[in-house]
Amino acid sequence: MCWTVNEIKKGVWHVDESGLNAMYVVKGSKMSAVIDAGTGIGDFKGLVESLVDNPYVVLITHGHVDHAGGCGQFIEAYINERDYQAALNIKVEDRERYLKNMESAGAPGSLSIAEELKNDKKPEFRFMKEGDIFDLGDKKLVIYEMTGHTAGSVCILDEEDRILFSGDSVNDLELICAPAKDR
């Protein structure tokens, strides 16, 4: 298996994809949410369905290959319209190139895209924007646009558990914490 799964709060799982990136699964009382789909290594959909037993929605923080490359495992996924084209244009070759680059950079394990996923299948993309709310029953996930990393990057706030899922929008703490005059 290429994932390490940790329950960080009851019903909220952090899924580490071979040290490449992070995806999350949030279980609600009526439905669940998958936050990011990774690169498409292995059967991520099967992993999700082993964690939750209710319907779920797939939310993509931005259109880069390591967050949206695995979208083809799902029927539909939500993404900000400004990153739609980037996600739509991800090809198997892009996913394989990303994995090779990560292996050469020291990512653990032998990485490959599962044979059954070596296609350019795409989900039906739906658009999400600032202020959209995904009601999971006992939890609400609120979408906040956080452009900068990409034009359509979003952060997703789990109001109940007080967790902000930032994708790559908040990944340079040195820059974020630097005084304004130093930026």
Side-chain angles (χ1 to χ4, degrees), residues 46-63:
L47 174 68
V48 169
E49 292 175 356
S50 76
L51 296 173
V52 299
D53 57 1
N54 55 2
Y56 55 87
V57 62
V58 177
L59 309 174
I60 304 300
T61 60
H62 65 287

Side-chain angles (χ1 to χ4, degrees), residues 98-160:
Y98 180 82
L99 295 177
K100 285 178 185 170
N101 289 340
M102 293 308 292
E103 280 182 323
S104 67
S110 175
L111 306 173
S112 64
I113 298 173
E115 275 305 312
E116 68 273 13
L117 302 175
K118 285 192 174 187
N119 62 58
D120 284 330
K121 184 178 174 186
K122 302 290 185 227
E124 179 179 335
F125 282 108
R126 299 188 182 276
F127 298 136
M128 62 181 174
K129 63 186 180 325
E130 173 103 17
D132 284 351
I133 297 173
F134 291 87
D135 187 348
L136 307 182
D138 57 338
K139 301 176 189 224
K140 288 184 172 52
L141 301 181
V142 182
I143 306 303
Y144 292 93
E145 292 181 2
M146 185 72 110
T147 59
H149 183 66
T150 67
S153 288
V154 301
C155 291
I156 302 165
L157 178 63
D158 173 346
E159 291 186 326
E160 178 67 25

Side-chain angles (χ1 to χ4, degrees), residues 8 12-15 22-26 33-36 44 165-166:
I8 58 174
V12 180
W13 293 271
H14 168 262
V15 181
M23 296 92 75
Y24 295 90
V25 179
V26 180
V34 175
I35 300 173
D36 286 334
F44 181 55
F165 303 97
S166 62

